[in-house]
Amino acid sequence: MWSPNQTLVTVFVLEGFSEHPSLRLFLTGCFLTLYTMALTGNILIIALVTTSTGLHSPMYFFLCNLATMDIVCTSSVLPKALLGLVSEENTISFKGCMAQLFFLVWSASSELLLLTVMAYDRYVAICHPLHYSSRMSPHLCGALAMGVWSICALNASVHTGLMTRLSFCGPKVITHFFCEIPPLLLLSCSPTYVNSIMTLIADAFYGGINFFFTLLSYGYIIASILRMRSAEGKQKAFSTCSSHLIVVCVYYSSVFCAYISPASSYSPERSKVTSVLYSVLSPTLNPLIYTLRNKDVKLALGRLLPSFSH
């Protein structure tokens, strides 16, 4: 418990990868390459969807939102991580730490919720194709996207607000390369019960309920595909959702590894590896998965960059 004689921490030190000095140059090169690829790929996806009339459909509208979230996610983590790798001391102010926490929670939870919305979109497209245009109207798609951003902004505000209420009176070293809930709770010298409960509720909603609805959507999709008589129809139906399914598998596996465990069993090394997967690798791979496995996106890219089609 914090007492008046203790000094509150105003600046944190991010441990980053300082325990592996020999890997500093390698990690700097990797992170810089991945960040450049993530920014380029996701900006390209947004440009393609907004400029190509052939991509003005609900699936690509949600893909555009996903790309925006990926940019927010990587940009909230990687610039500071890169700065820490090239500088001797990697410090972050309390306000800076809270801002990073907010944008990371906002983008990560938005991505999970949006993947569920995208699974529903694919369910309607494959299981109810005749009603697709009426069910997934522009008005509904806009409302779903706004709902995702708003709900997750509220979620991020709650977690960040609860974190600012805690007292930090030393030590001040965060055993991570960015500000995340579990390592911050371990540093607090005031009760973290409410924070832990809210984190568990958020985990149950985003990691549990969302995952269940995504699986349910794909259960109906797979059953519908299996009932199709023509092999061509099956292949076409599966190709429209295979990219999304790969993204779901990559993202959920990394998030489950990072978050679905009690704070008491928190492992800094494991957390750093899994955090790289969902905050760096996943946003980099998403544009590649959707570009390489999607004919419509490749055609639009061929028109935008003629050299790509050769």
Side-chain angles (χ1 to χ4, degrees), residues 168 170-171 175 181-189 192 263-268:
F168 297 89
T175 56
I181 293 172
L184 279 169
L185 293 183
L186 292 174
L187 293 181
S188 176
C189 51
T192 59
S264 57
S265 65
Y266 175 75
S267 165

Side-chain angles (χ1 to χ4, degrees), residues 165-221:
R165 290 166 59 89
L166 299 180
S167 300
F168 297 89
C169 37
K172 60 180 181 179
V173 178
I174 299 171
T175 56
H176 213 299
F177 62 95
F178 59 82
C179 292
E180 198 180 32
I181 293 172
L184 279 169
L185 293 183
L186 292 174
L187 293 181
S188 176
C189 51
S190 53
T192 59
Y193 179 76
V194 176
N195 299 67
S196 298
I197 291 296
M198 290 306 295
T199 303
L200 282 172
I201 291 171
D203 286 349
F205 175 70
Y206 289 102
I209 296 172
N210 268 299
F211 188 57
F212 170 75
F213 280 119
T214 303
L215 284 180
L216 189 65
S217 295
Y218 273 101
Y220 281 113
I221 287 168

Side-chain angles (χ1 to χ4, degrees), residues 111-124 127 144 151 203-222 244-245 248 252 256:
E111 186 141 352
L112 288 168
L113 201 55
L114 189 68
L115 288 173
T116 306
V117 171
M118 291 172 81
Y120 174 72
D121 171 70
R122 292 299 82 208
Y123 157 74
V124 177
C127 300
L144 286 170
I151 290 168
D203 286 349
F205 175 70
Y206 289 102
I209 296 172
N210 268 299
F211 188 57
F212 170 75
F213 280 119
T214 303
L215 284 180
L216 189 65
S217 295
Y218 273 101
Y220 281 113
I221 287 168
I222 292 165
H244 179 254
L245 192 56
V248 166
Y252 269 102
F256 281 154

Side-chain angles (χ1 to χ4, degrees), residues 107-108 111-112 115 247-256 278 282:
S107 57
E111 186 141 352
L112 288 168
L115 288 173
V247 169
V248 166
C249 291
V250 170
Y251 200 75
Y252 269 102
S253 57
S254 58
V255 167
F256 281 154
Y278 82 82
S282 185

Side-chain angles (χ1 to χ4, degrees), residues 4 18-19 24 41 64 108 140 157 160 166 173 189 191 217 251 299-300:
S18 57
E19 71 274 29
R24 180 172 285 188
C64 192
L140 177 65
S157 300
T160 309
L166 299 180
V173 178
C189 51
S217 295
Y251 200 75
L299 281 170

